[in-house]
Amino acid sequence: MSAPDQRPNKARTVPERPSLEGLEAKWDAVWEAEGTYRFDRRRDRAEVYAIDTPPPTVSGSLHLGTVFGYVQFDSIARFRRMCGKEVFFPVGWDDNGLPTERRVQNHYGVRCDPTLPYQPGLVVDPQPDGRRPVARRTFIELCEALTAEDERTFEQVFRDVGLSVAWELTYTTINERSRRVAQRAFLRNLARNEAYPSEAPTMWDVDFQTAVAQAEMEDRPTTGAYHRLAFHRADRSVVEIDTTRPELLAACVAVVVHPSDARWRELVGTEVTTPLFGVPVPVVTHDLADPEKGTGAAMICTFGDSTDVVWWRELDLPLRSVVQRDGRLQAERPEWLTSEAAARAWDALGGRTTKAARSAIAELLAAAGELVGEPRPIEHEVKYYERGDRPLEIVTSRQWYIRNGARDPQRRGALLEAGRALSWHPEFMRVRYEHWVGGLNGDWLISRQRYFGVPFPVWYPLDAEGNVAHDEPIPADEASLPIDPQSEPPPGYTEAQRGQPGGFVGDPDVMDTWATSSLSPEIACAWEDDPDLFSRTFPMDLRPQGPEIIRTWLFSTVLRSQLEHASLPWTDVSINGWILDPDRKKMSKSKGNVITPTALVAEHGADGLRYWACRGAPGTDTAVDPAQMRVGRRLSIKILNASKFVLSMAAAGGQVTEPLDRSMLARLASVVTAATAAFEAYQYHQALDVTESFFWSFCDDYLELVKSRAYGEAAGPAGPTESARAALALALSTLLRLLAPFLPFVTEEVWSWWQDGSVHRAAWPGADELGGGADDDDPVLLDVVAEALAAVRRTKTAEKRSLRAPVARLEIVDTPARLAAVRAAEGDLRQAGNVGELVLVEGTDPSIVVELAPEVA
RNA sequence: GGGCGCUUAGCUCAGUUGGUUAGAGCGCAGCCUUCACACGGCUGAGGUCGUGGGUUCGAGUCCCGCAGCGCCCACCA
């Protein structure tokens, strides 16, 4: 595997002044040339560790949070690789979908106009403030060009931070294989009746002009106002109704009250008329009507919110739609507004945005004496598309859905069971999945009325009059995928029949980005395209991801896998925490507190950045902390210097005979055991902690104690010097391998000074390598001696003397066992502390008395 | 409205199955030009573990209530 010629420092020398400068570029180039992280597809499934990595959204700059999460599971990947697994570590770029479209619109100053003809070779210069219309195909070309550029930048960041990615496996969510996989999976869903089209009320973003799925909505506190409207009974008496959306009054189809609400009992079953428009509407009852809200009577409009949809559907009410897809009330007067007063009122409302219409109708109502009191401002939660700026409206449209268990208890139960079968890290994240599955209120809406995405691979026949037969979709042939129904005809038709009576039209929509990325295991593992690779990688081992996309990416991946393969897509899920800025606020672009990974690598080094990330526990929010990165950098420098020192003495192969050396190795063996157990439990931060602690005490105590002996003249193959030198070699080799998953650059650098090949392909250390198991190896021995040494240092510091200052007399009172430990390392202790007389006294009251020699002038 | 997580030294955090004087780093103070490291080392000060109860021989660790912070979900008239 390795190509030694590529390796710098093949002479294996220790540099005079080791440095961290330039290690990132140097080792990235070597790893690339040697294929250190390349995936060996000859290995079978049991030998592979496959990671379903989260494709970062390609929309400008790479978020530090992405790097944070990636570094964490990269440490796990590196651990598994060193344990002998062949790690399947692809990266995907999520360049498919709305974020890309928006970035292209802003970057080039264009908008997509699908009615324009395509002009091949058209060059579009960026024009920041423009909104120039371009053809659909030109728009897609711009998306492809810009994402390709961004992806190169992203890859460089990932290389700079030392991710052990198998770059040859890279995919994008819009590339040919992804389109083919997404279309194939959809066609199979369609054939099994798991996907279906439906014309129904849907949540609609009026700016993006597309339908939006439940998973992409969020509530935002929004200022509104209760308007108390005067509806009228037949006897002209008033029924007061509160609404926050008076502009939808024309869309009112009924008034609803709770069946048990005595206040309205005699009204139920009668009709009241709407203010201003005089339209008669029935008074109906429904359990969802809340007597506590407003006056207890609500107007039902088609549609103001999702409760309206429920009422409309369950109470079988008529449809009176007035809001258009652009978020404006229709200009044309609705046919059910028949009175002259109603027509006049509509003149003031039609064509206006809902927001403008709201204040306009409030004025009309007030002028007509139909507004009771003043509007009362309130702050309430309103649904938005998570990327949108204006509240969602509800419009009726034709969309594609995938059955997700919302309307099928059996499927919902199976999905909950899948959540229980997964291993979650940390465990408590599982409930988020369960809540989401339990709370699903509709099938998954996967179609978007956009351009840069995977097209639906279907067409519709046109009848003799040119009407579209939506109920008879013509599916594409699987062998033809990926296809674009806008530019290719369906089987059995010619392109000339497009749009002609008796011909066909292509489905104009594209799939939501989650409909593609929910298939990331199938895309990465080359489902159907490469059955051999698929059999070696699927189902995968680990899905690492952020907590905010449990309801989208995680859930939808489980769903698609269950539908397609009747299996889980992976066995383990690891959820990382948030990145918080130093004020403990979630970092986000809109808050302007984003720090770029590149700047941090430049300042603290990749290993410094990685150290900080790996200190964050799985699922735990972590503050961006440059101080921690400095600590990581300092640790890296210490590794360079300590290693240089150790290598000036170390010699592998000798017998480790001295009790102090064996004690150190015994302690190190317990560190190996603990770090291994932590990694296996996905607790990488604990592995780092236990290793780092040992490393510092190794430097501060063991190296100080042993250096004189190790420097000494060789005293035969089994002598004390050989023992020290062999122990140092063993310890350094072990420590470098323990630290390699966290600090890949500095450990590789040091490894290259004295070892062949990459530390990242070296075997993970085992406790047995360290001569563990011997009963007389007491890890406490080192502690006892280190305590005595610390006491010596403490005295010298207190006396303001140099640490080299001679100790005339050192008296230690302790138990026989601990005195024996000191005696076993007496020579090392005297050398390290520059101790003259050493007196060991048995006693029950332990003490250490240090008498310094007088200072010589 | 429901749920999850967090609350340990000035700051950022560890604290495994409850067990002797609660740990680390940063910061702070003092000391040391030590022949691996001044991009350093050594030493030290600093905490009634959010709050009120309970279980226990023993609780930061388990149970109940409360508060603050963060997040997720919710049909939001």
Side-chain angles (χ1 to χ4, degrees), chain A residues 2 20 150 168 173 233 363 387 435 449 508 541 549 562 566 571 577 593 608 727 733 783 812 836 841:
Chain A
S2 74
L20 297 177
D150 286 345
E168 78 280 5
T173 57
R233 308 184 206 212
E363 285 174 25
R387 300 178 188 278
H435 283 177
Q449 289 64 58
D541 293 275
I549 49 177
Q562 192 167 83
T571 58
N593 56 1
S733 166
D783 295 342
I812 302 176
V841 183

Side-chain angles (χ1 to χ4, degrees), chain A residues 554-623:
Chain A
L554 197 152
F555 168 70
S556 62
T557 309
V558 171
L559 172 64
R560 300 305 288 278
S561 181
Q562 192 167 83
L563 294 177
E564 194 56 52
H565 313 290
S567 82
L568 285 173
W570 356 259
T571 58
D572 289 77
V573 176
S574 176
I575 306 293
N576 60 258
W578 288 113
I579 295 301
L580 307 170
D581 73 9
D583 297 329
R584 298 204 62 76
K585 295 281 186 292
K586 182 182 154 193
M587 289 223 320
S588 64
K589 284 173 196 162
S590 57
K591 296 198 182 88
N593 56 1
V594 171
I595 304 167
T596 68
T598 304
L600 292 172
V601 169
E603 188 174 353
H604 306 290
D607 287 338
L609 176 68
R610 291 178 62 104
Y611 173 87
W612 158 74
C614 291
R615 299 243 328 159
T620 301
D621 295 350
T622 303

